[in-house]
């Protein structure tokens, strides 16, 4: 089918299935009298229209709010005006949920621009010949996909809302008006936010909803399809599909994660897995009622039921459960005509995938903390470690020579510094979790801010001093390289490890597989959009070359957030465009924030997005595009653009008004008051705000709330313009049209810009203090927009993706009143000395953040 015809059909389907149905159900929704304020739903369309009309005139948010109440509700005082704004917020944030649900319910009817990336396409290719099937099977047996759910504070929907959304999506698929009506009423009366901040265990429980309701079915469904279509080796070391989990294990910068937290989450994940098994087993029990299986079924019943509901066994039961299921299967095949063997196969598949752990609980801590723990062990513990006095002051070369890898048994006293106790006790706990839940339950330790090889080797020592033995160290040690400078030295760090005798021996025991985590968020905050993407690309090329030099199987673990500024956007296109220079047979990435609910919020969308990633990894290996292998000239051009962009971004960061602007006109200072996370918004939370301590999530979220997605585009226009001035424009256009990597990077930048709206802050151009600063940001936006339109050959941003552009436009229109209210409340805060009113304004700002982020789906 011609591309233009396919796009036209998608647009028509989107208009019929999404736009028209949203207008219909939204009109029903607005007539529901939720909060004893019957005219709120009636007044909201007038408020939305007023905001849109006045914003087009570049009127300030304060003037927009004041003129609205003067025109439509002139007889109420200021406090009642604030009360009405809170009511508007309550409606709008639920309108966002309604739009999400309608869009998700239409998923299969819309058709996708990226349909080429599904498993169906692989199956069609395999059907051509047996050789093709064998080739795809071989690649699949060499491939793995790991999705890791993280505890980052950008998932605003509580479990209750997610449950309503799930039911609403199903009702919308059949336009069941009565059920939809009831669910909309339930939605209107269900709170959207917590009165207190969640604990790390609360976060784990919230995200486990997706494990239990989405991934349990989606992952096993994909595995079933692959097993059916291809020759997948059942005994392979690395599972083809794996899940990871950070809530309860990620303690980097989160003092609220403790040993007890980690123990509780590991136990909770185990119980949830058994509850899923028991639901399936009940169906199996109703069907498999034949002679010869009674004893095995009774034993299975007892094991699964007790571990799902009562005290858990303190051992890994996966081998025993699988043995029982296989014995039942044997009897069904041998004596009962294979009746219901499909149900047994399904449960075998799920137990094989999820074991007694459901998802691998990753442990993460900062290298600076680990160095302090090492100092305690070598100077205060009294144990013989073999590490000489003054070790931490040694050069890197002398440090590596001094590490002896002695085994010891250091017990941390209760009165020792909190982080030291937590680190050493967590290392011991990892061994306990492996014993009770299985080795895969907790086998990865990630070192953030990893700067040198000794950071890894020192951590291995800490394990050997905490009850672990050299010959049974069943842990993968994973460096996380985040900043631009760390990415530059990453390959050298890894070469030091690959050539170190002890590490080399350890790696051989771990099947010679090395996972390396690369962080997009901090590198973007550090160097801007172009430099971050290019630094990570270069690091991947260098790290791949180093791994191949020493015969190491390399897996990149990408720390990607939701928005393009944190590595999000069309991520599967990045993986599909990796040339032969970059290891790509293991795809590992974080999914976080709204990405969890927007891309993995239903079994259908989860399967589609996972299939795209599998397809990307397999096709890039089987049918590599020669244009994805950047030649020296193209690398030189991208590098020059990255350098130019980096200079401009660095100048912006160092501008004396940079942090003050963000604090004054965005909700940055108030993000810590939003009760969605156990994690502080910045490191060193007791100190005054410094840009280097600010978390990348808070940094990117603040700019997106301002509707100025600076981390997603700033410097790109200047860099492209320099290329044009240097007569390199034709080469850049050729690069965009031929290189999947460069095109994806540009298209994701365009998406960031589509979600920007400088009209909202246009009033700042006349501000005496910030006017020139705002104009500088706006001018770079306009330059970038002009350059990107010329580069992409379109007349509007995202012109190549009309359905996605329309979806964004509707979402932005829905939440524009929230943006206006937020700016109004911030203005009041900045100009109001009344402490009582200040608290109300604070709350008003905080409440707007939820809807703005949720509507963006990948803004934070």
């Amino acid at each position: 089918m011609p591309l233009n015809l396919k796009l036209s059909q998608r647009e028509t389907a989107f208009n019929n299935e999404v736009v028209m149905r949203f207008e219909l159900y939204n009109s029903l929704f607005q007539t529901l009298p939720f909060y004893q304020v019957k005219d709120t739903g009636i007044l909201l369309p007038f408020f939305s229209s007023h905001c849109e009309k006045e914003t087009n005139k570049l009127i300030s948010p304060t003037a927009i709010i004041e003129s609205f109440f003067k025109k439509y509700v002139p007889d109420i005082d200021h406090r009642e005006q604030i009360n009405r704004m809170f009511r508007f917020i309550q409606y709008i944030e639920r309108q966002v949920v309604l739009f999400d649900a309608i869009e998700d319910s239409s998923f299969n009817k819309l058709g996708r621009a990226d349909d080429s990336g599904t498993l169906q396409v692989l199956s069609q290719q395999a059907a051509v010949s047996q050789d093709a099937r064998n080739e795809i099977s071989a690649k699949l047996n060499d491939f793995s996909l790991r999705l890791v759910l993280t505890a980052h504070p950008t998932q605003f929907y509580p479990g209750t809302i997610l449950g309503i959304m799930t039911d609403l999506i199903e009702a919308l698929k059949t336009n069941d008006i009565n059920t939809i009506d009831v669910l909309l009423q339930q939605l209107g009366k269900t709170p959207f936010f917590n009165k207190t901040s969640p604990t790390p265990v609360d976060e784990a429980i919230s995200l486990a909803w997706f494990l239990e309701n989405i991934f349990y079915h989606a992952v096993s469904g994909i595995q079933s399809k692959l097993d059916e279509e291809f020759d997948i080796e059942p005994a392979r070391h690395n599972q083809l599909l794996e899940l990871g989990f950070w809530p309860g294990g990620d303690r980097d910068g989160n003092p609220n994660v403790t040993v007890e937290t980690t123990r509780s989450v590991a136990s909770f994940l185990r119980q949830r897995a058994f509850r899923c098994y028991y639901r399936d087993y009940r169906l199996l029990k109703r069907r498999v009622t034949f002679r010869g299986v009674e004893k095995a079924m009774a034993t299975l019943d007892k094991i699964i039921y007790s571990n799902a509901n009562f005290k858990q066994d303190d051992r890994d039961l996966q081998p025993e459960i699988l043995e029982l299921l296989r014995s039942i299967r044997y009897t069904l095949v041998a004596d009962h005509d294979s009746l219901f063997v499909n149900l047994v196969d399904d449960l075998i598949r799920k137990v094989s995938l999820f074991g007694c752990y459901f998802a691998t609980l990753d442990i993460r801590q900062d290298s600076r903390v680990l160095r302090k723990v090492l100092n305690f062990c070598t100077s205060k513990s009294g144990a013989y470690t073999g590490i000489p006095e003054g070790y931490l002051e040694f050069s890197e070369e002398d440090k590596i020579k001094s590490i002896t890898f002695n085994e010891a048994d250091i017990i941390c006293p209760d009165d020792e510094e909190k982080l030291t106790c937590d680190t050493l006790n967590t290392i011991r706990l990892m061994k306990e979790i492996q014993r009770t839940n299985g080795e895969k339950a907790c086998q990865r330790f990630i070192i953030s801010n990893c700067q040198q090889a000794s950071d890894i080797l020192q951590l291995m020592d800490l394990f050997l001093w905490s009850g672990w033995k050299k010959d049974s160290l069943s842990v993968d040690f994973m460096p996380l390289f985040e900043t631009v400078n760390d990415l530059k030295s990453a390959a050298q760090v890894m070469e030091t490890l690959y050539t170190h005798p002890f590490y080399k021996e350890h790696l051989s025991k771990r099947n010679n597989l090395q996972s390396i985590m690369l962080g997009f968020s901090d590198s973007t905050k550090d160097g801007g959009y172009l430099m971050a993407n290019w630094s990570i690309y270069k690091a991947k090329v260098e790290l791949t070359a180093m791994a191949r030099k020493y015969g190491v199987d390399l897996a990149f673990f990408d720390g990607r957030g939701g928005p393009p500024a944190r590595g999000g956007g069309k991520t599967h296109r990045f993986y599909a465009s990796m040339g032969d220079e970059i290891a790509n047979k293991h795809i590992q990435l974080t999914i976080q924030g709204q990405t969890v609910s927007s891309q993995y919020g239903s079994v259908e969308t989860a399967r589609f997005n996972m299939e795209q990633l599998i397809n990307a990894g397999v096709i890039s290996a089987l049918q590599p595009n020669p244009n994805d292998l950047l030649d020296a000239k193209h690398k030189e051009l991208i590098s020059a653009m990255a350098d130019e962009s980096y200079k401009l971004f660095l100048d912006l960061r160092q501008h004396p008004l940079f942090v003050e602007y963000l604090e004054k006109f965005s909700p940055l200072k108030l993000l810590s008051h939003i009760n969605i996370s156990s994690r502080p918004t910045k490191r060193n939370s007791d100190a005054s705000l410094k840009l280097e301590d600010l978390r990348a999530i808070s940094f990117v979220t603040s700019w997106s709330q301002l509707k100025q997605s600076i981390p997603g585009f700033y410097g790109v226009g200047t860099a492209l313009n320099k290329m044009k001035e240097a007569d390199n424009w034709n080469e850049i256009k050729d690069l965009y049209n031929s290189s999947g990597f460069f095109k994806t990077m540009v298209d994701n930048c365009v998406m960031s810009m589509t979600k920007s709206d400088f009209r909202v802050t246009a009033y700042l151009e006349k501000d005496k203090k910030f006017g020139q600063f705002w104009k500088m940001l706006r001018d770079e936006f306009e330059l970038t927009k002009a350059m990107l339109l010329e580069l992409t050959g379109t007349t509007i941003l995202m012109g190549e993706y009309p359905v996605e552009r329309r979806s964004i436009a509707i979402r932005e229109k829905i939440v524009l009143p929230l943006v206006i209210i937020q700016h109004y409340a911030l203005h009041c805060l900045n100009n109001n000395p009344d402490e009582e009113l200040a608290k109300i304004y604070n709350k008003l700002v905080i409440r707007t953040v939820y809807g703005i982020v949720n509507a963006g789906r990948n803004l934070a």
Side-chain angles (χ1 to χ4, degrees):
M1 181 184 298
L3 181 60
N4 288 340
L5 178 59
K6 188 173 182 179
L7 289 175
S8 176
Q9 289 179 342
R10 286 191 74 225
E11 285 183 86
T12 301
F14 184 82
N15 187 61
N16 293 335
E17 295 295 332
V18 178
V19 179
M20 291 179 64
R21 289 205 300 160
F22 175 68
E23 291 172 355
L24 172 66
Y25 290 120
N26 186 44
S27 63
L28 167 67
F29 185 56
Q30 287 181 325
T31 61
L32 298 175
F34 293 127
Y35 314 102
Q36 286 133 22
V37 185
K38 294 186 178 181
D39 62 342
T40 302
I42 298 169
L43 201 56
L44 180 57
F46 294 101
F47 182 56
S48 298
S49 175
H50 185 78
C51 288
E52 178 69 29
K53 184 174 65 175
E54 297 300 286
T55 299
N56 281 331
K57 297 177 184 177
L58 307 184
I59 305 298
S60 75
T62 300
I64 291 173
I65 296 292
E66 290 174 349
S67 61
F68 171 78
F69 283 113
K70 184 177 181 180
K71 180 177 180 180
Y72 290 97
V73 200
D75 56 344
I76 60 174
D77 61 17
H78 182 59
R79 287 181 180 271
E80 180 56 27
Q81 289 176 354
I82 294 173
N83 183 48
R84 295 296 176 98
M85 284 187 270
F86 275 116
R87 303 308 178 198
F88 288 152
I89 292 169
Q90 290 174 314
Y91 264 96
I92 292 169
E93 60 193 5
R94 286 161 175 79
Q95 283 180 315
V96 173
V97 173
L98 176 60
F99 189 80
D100 282 349
I102 291 172
E103 201 167 43
D104 289 347
S105 72
S106 308
F107 186 74
N108 283 330
K109 295 181 181 178
L110 294 180
R112 274 86 68 185
D114 297 320
D115 264 336
S116 58
T118 62
L119 290 187
Q120 184 178 353
V121 175
L122 280 183
S123 298
Q124 290 169 350
Q125 292 182 4
V128 173
S129 69
Q130 188 59 43
D131 287 343
R133 185 176 300 279
N134 292 340
E135 192 176 16
I136 294 173
S137 295
K139 288 300 176 186
L140 284 168
N141 281 311
D142 208 26
F143 173 83
S144 66
L145 170 65
R146 178 189 292 262
L147 298 181
V148 181
L149 284 82
T150 76
H152 289 76
T154 52
Q155 176 48 262
F156 286 78
Y157 291 142
T160 50
I161 298 299
L162 290 170
I164 295 171
M165 284 180 68
T166 300
D167 295 339
L168 189 55
I169 289 168
E170 291 304 311
L172 284 163
K173 286 179 181 177
T174 56
N175 287 315
D176 181 353
I177 189 69
N178 293 326
T179 302
I180 293 168
D181 182 43
V182 171
L183 289 170
L184 289 178
Q185 291 186 57
Q186 183 187 359
L187 181 67
K189 294 177 178 293
T190 303
F192 263 52
F193 57 95
N194 305 308
K195 291 186 177 180
T196 58
S197 294
T199 66
V201 175
D202 292 333
E203 291 173 330
I205 292 171
S206 177
L207 271 181
W209 186 92
F210 291 94
L211 291 179
E212 191 173 357
N213 294 282
I214 306 298
F215 288 105
Y216 181 72
H217 305 288
V219 172
S220 60
I222 292 174
Q223 185 70 55
S224 174
K225 189 172 182 179
L226 290 170
D227 290 339
E228 184 181 324
E229 290 282 343
F230 305 101
D231 299 321
I232 306 298
E233 296 174 9
R236 52 181 287 168
H237 174 72
N238 289 313
Q239 287 180 197
L240 200 158
L241 301 170
E242 294 181 303
L243 297 174
F245 204 71
W246 275 20
D250 178 17
R251 55 240 308 128
D252 176 20
N254 190 347
N256 300 309
V257 179
T258 65
V259 173
E260 284 308 311
T261 300
T262 305
R263 180 180 283 110
S264 296
V265 171
S267 176
F268 175 79
L269 289 174
R270 177 190 170 106
Q271 184 188 52
R272 276 295 180 267
F274 274 97
R275 288 191 177 181
C276 288
Y277 298 153
Y278 188 69
R279 282 200 294 267
D280 286 339
Y281 174 75
R282 285 191 305 176
L283 175 60
L284 185 68
K285 185 179 178 180
R286 287 201 299 272
R287 296 291 174 265
V288 180
T289 53
F290 316 133
R291 293 185 184 277
V293 298
E294 301 94 336
K295 186 176 179 181
M297 289 290 286
T299 304
L300 199 58
D301 192 318
K302 183 178 178 181
I303 290 173
I304 296 179
Y305 182 75
S306 61
N307 280 272
N309 297 287
F310 303 112
K311 188 178 183 299
Q312 298 178 9
D313 287 67
D314 60 352
R315 60 193 176 91
D316 179 16
L317 295 168
Q318 185 189 39
E320 183 178 348
I321 295 171
L322 289 174
E323 185 179 349
L324 288 166
L325 285 168
R326 285 167 183 151
S327 72
I328 294 167
R329 186 186 194 283
Y330 177 83
T331 303
L332 293 181
V333 173
D335 302 335
H336 301 291
D337 303 315
S338 298
L339 195 59
F340 302 125
V341 75
N342 60 312
L343 297 179
V344 181
D345 284 342
D346 182 60
L347 192 51
I348 287 174
R349 184 179 301 109
K350 287 168 177 171
V351 175
S352 299
L353 283 168
F354 306 116
C356 294
Y357 58 92
F358 217 145
T360 298
L361 186 59
D362 287 348
I363 307 297
R364 183 173 76 136
Q365 186 53 280
D366 191 281
S367 63
R368 290 163 289 194
V369 172
L370 298 175
R371 289 172 203 149
K372 290 179 181 178
V373 177
L374 185 92
N375 187 54
F376 160 78
C377 292
T378 56
S379 62
K380 298 180 186 177
S381 69
Y384 176 69
T385 63
I387 300 291
E389 189 177 341
Y391 165 84
L392 288 176
E393 304 303 319
F394 289 4
S395 67
E396 174 68 357
E397 184 180 355
D398 288 340
K399 280 181 180 178
I400 291 173
K401 289 178 181 177
S402 301
I403 299 175
T404 57
F405 304 103
N406 288 341
E407 292 177 358
D409 190 22
I410 298 175
I411 305 296
C412 189
D414 293 338
D415 59 354
E416 187 50 46
E417 200 269 332
K418 182 180 177 182
L419 283 176
T420 299
C421 286
D422 176 75
T423 302
L424 292 174
N425 291 336
T426 298
I427 289 172
R428 288 183 178 273
L429 177 62
M430 288 178 70
K431 193 174 185 67
E432 180 187 330
I433 293 173
Q434 286 195 8
R435 180 178 60 81
T436 59
N437 295 10
E439 183 181 313
K440 290 181 179 179
C442 193
Q443 63 174 6
R444 296 164 26 125
F445 200 117
I446 301 163
I447 306 173
S448 55
N449 193 41
C450 187
Q451 298 175 332
Q452 47 202 21
S454 59
D455 286 331
I456 297 280
L457 300 175
Q458 289 161 190
L459 177 59
M460 298 177 81
D461 252 357
L462 293 181
F463 271 76
L464 297 178
W465 302 339
S466 303
W468 291 79
K469 303 298 181 183
K470 296 177 187 178
D471 58 355
S472 58
L473 190 52
S474 52
V475 177
D476 297 318
F477 298 96
M478 190 183 308
L480 166 52
F481 301 110
E482 298 178 87
T483 66
V484 171
N485 286 333
D486 289 349
L487 289 166
K488 285 179 181 176
S489 58
Q492 185 57 53
V493 169
M494 296 314 299
E495 182 170 36
T496 303
L497 290 172
Y498 295 151
T499 55
H500 189 280
F502 185 81
Y503 192 81
K504 184 178 180 181
E505 183 182 355
H506 172 74
L507 206 55
S508 68
K509 294 174 183 175
R510 304 299 295 166
N511 291 281
N512 227 29
L513 174 63
Q514 174 67 58
S515 294
I516 298 175
M517 187 172 183
L518 301 175
F520 281 76
S521 298
D522 280 287
S523 52
T524 304
K525 186 180 77 129
D526 186 41
Y529 181 74
L530 271 183
M531 178 56 81
N533 278 276
W534 182 236
S535 295
I536 288 169
Y537 184 93
K538 285 195 302 179
K540 283 190 172 185
V541 170
E542 293 165 3
L543 287 164
T544 300
M546 195 62 72
R548 289 171 179 169
K549 178 180 177 182
Y550 293 100
V552 173
D553 189 13
L554 181 59
F556 286 117
F557 177 22
D558 291 323
R560 294 181 178 273
R566 296 202 299 114
K570 301 286 187 180
T571 55
H572 68 280
R573 290 186 188 164
F574 273 120
Y575 293 113
S577 65
M578 294 294 101
D580 185 55
E581 287 184 301
I582 294 176
N584 200 36
K585 68 179 183 179
H586 304 290
I587 294 178
Q588 302 183 12
L589 70 155
T590 57
I591 53 173
Q592 54 188 265
Q594 311 84 11
T595 305
V596 183
S597 55
S598 65
Q599 295 187 12
Y600 301 91
S602 70
V603 175
E604 286 175 333
T605 56
R607 284 194 61 159
F608 176 71
N609 283 291
M610 291 175 72
E611 286 184 17
Q612 282 198 314
L613 290 167
I614 296 168
N615 185 282
V618 173
I619 292 300
S620 66
L622 283 177
Q623 303 167 7
N625 183 344
N627 292 320
D628 287 333
L629 190 63
L630 298 173
D631 60 29
K633 174 63 175 175
H634 286 151
K635 288 179 179 177
E636 184 182 331
L637 288 172
I638 298 176
S639 183
M641 285 190 288
D643 288 340
E644 197 66 46
S645 174
Y646 181 56
K647 290 176 192 172
L648 197 72
F649 191 79
L650 217 55
D651 288 343
L652 177 65
R653 277 179 42 129
Q654 293 168 354
H655 194 288
L657 293 178
F658 184 76
V659 174
E660 187 181 353
Y661 178 85
L662 205 54
E663 282 189 297
K664 192 177 182 70
F665 300 111
S666 84
L668 175 62
K669 291 189 293 185
L670 301 176
L671 291 179
S672 60
H673 300 293
I674 298 177
N675 295 322
I676 58 164
S677 173
S678 66
R679 189 186 185 100
T681 56
K682 67 186 183 72
R683 295 175 173 89
N684 302 320
S685 55
D686 295 332
S688 58
L689 179 64
K690 294 179 182 176
L691 187 57
E692 56 268 27
D693 290 333
L694 185 63
R695 294 195 176 281
I697 295 171
S698 304
F699 180 73
V700 173
T701 300
S702 297
W703 284 111
S704 67
Q705 292 285 310
L706 258 171
K707 290 299 163 189
Q708 299 172 359
S709 303
I710 297 300
F713 77 83
Y714 197 82
V716 174
T718 294
L720 288 171
N721 195 43
K722 288 284 184 181
M723 288 293 107
K724 189 173 183 179
E725 290 175 349
D727 293 327
N728 290 319
W729 193 241
N730 286 334
E731 286 90 340
I732 297 297
K733 291 180 76 171
D734 288 342
L735 184 60
Y736 175 76
N737 291 319
S738 62
S739 166
F741 165 74
F742 187 68
K743 178 175 172 56
T744 303
M745 188 168 64
V746 168
D747 287 350
N748 280 344
C749 175
V750 172
M751 185 195 296
S752 285
M753 298 188 68
T754 306
K755 296 179 180 182
S756 297
D757 188 352
F758 275 79
R759 298 175 307 162
V760 175
T761 49
Y763 70 97
L764 289 175
E765 185 173 9
K766 299 175 183 177
D767 189 275
K768 291 181 180 179
K769 184 175 184 178
F770 295 98
Q772 286 303 310
F773 183 81
W774 178 89
K775 191 173 183 300
M776 180 176 70
L777 302 179
R778 196 274 315 273
D779 288 350
E780 180 62 20
F781 175 85
E782 293 297 340
L783 175 62
T784 304
K785 179 180 177 181
M787 299 306 300
L788 288 175
L789 290 178
E790 185 176 350
L791 177 62
T792 59
T794 54
T795 56
I796 50 175
L797 293 174
M798 292 187 71
E800 290 183 272
Y801 311 100
V803 171
E804 288 80 1
R805 175 173 52 81
R806 183 89 185 276
S807 175
I808 290 172
I810 293 171
R811 291 172 177 280
E812 293 299 306
K813 184 176 181 179
I814 291 171
V815 296
L816 179 61
L818 297 187
V819 178
I820 299 299
I821 290 172
Q822 183 183 108
H823 281 271
Y824 169 76
L826 285 168
H827 174 80
C828 292
L829 270 175
N830 292 329
N831 297 278
N832 176 66
D834 188 315
E835 288 188 17
E836 184 185 350
L837 275 175
K839 291 179 182 178
I840 298 173
Y841 296 140
N842 277 335
K843 186 178 179 183
L844 196 59
V845 171
I846 290 165
R847 286 298 309 279
T848 61
V849 171
Y850 293 80
I852 296 171
V853 170
N854 285 333
R857 286 208 149 185
N858 69 348
L859 284 182

